[in-house]
Amino acid sequence: MSNLTRQVRTHDNLLELLNRSESGGWVVSREKEREIANVQIVNWDGTQMIQAAFDQSSSYRLKDNEKRLVIKFSDGKIINCNVDFDSQNPVRYFLRDEI
């Protein structure tokens, strides 16, 4: 059963990502990919995020770098938030009950 939320931090425009229902090519193991249920795509400042359901069937790996997964999502919405990143690492995972 999928129970992870993948949170990524990006410089990309959230409205553009929301309109495309996808976020760039991120390094994701195939094992983790099967566990992801939701995504949070946070702007670099941590003040807004897209919160959405992960669309595993539409997500795809880049041909030139199979480690990178283009994250497709559905039912996305932009919400205001206050997310603090304590390192330069732009990726975190949370279990559903940790959010």
Side-chain angles (χ1 to χ4, degrees):
M1 181 175 137
S2 301
N3 63 353
L4 282 182
T5 295
R6 180 173 172 95
Q7 185 180 75
V8 297
R9 184 181 187 193
T10 186
H11 285 292
D12 295 339
N13 182 297
L14 293 184
L15 280 175
E16 290 176 12
L17 298 179
L18 186 62
N19 286 334
R20 291 193 321 254
S21 296
E22 72 177 35
S23 177
W26 297 91
V27 175
V28 179
S29 72
R30 292 189 187 278
E31 294 77 28
K32 281 271 197 236
E33 179 183 349
R34 289 188 281 273
E35 297 177 29
I36 299 169
N38 299 293
V39 295
Q40 294 178 341
I41 304 162
V42 183
N43 71 354
W44 198 257
D45 296 332
T47 57
Q48 289 189 317
M49 78 167 92
I50 296 172
Q51 195 160 357
F54 175 59
D55 184 350
Q56 185 175 10
S57 63
S58 297
S59 296
Y60 59 93
R61 296 205 173 259
L62 297 175
K63 292 190 188 313
D64 62 336
N65 187 343
E66 283 288 314
K67 292 181 181 180
R68 295 197 172 270
L69 178 72
V70 174
I71 296 174
K72 299 289 276 183
F73 55 85
S74 60
D75 300 326
K77 61 184 175 190
I78 295 178
I79 61 171
N80 292 327
C81 62
N82 187 12
V83 176
D84 222 1
F85 284 81
D86 53 0
S87 72
Q88 289 295 326
N89 187 0
V91 177
R92 296 191 279 208
Y93 290 95
F94 299 97
L95 292 173
R96 282 187 186 172
D97 56 357
E98 293 178 330
I99 301 175

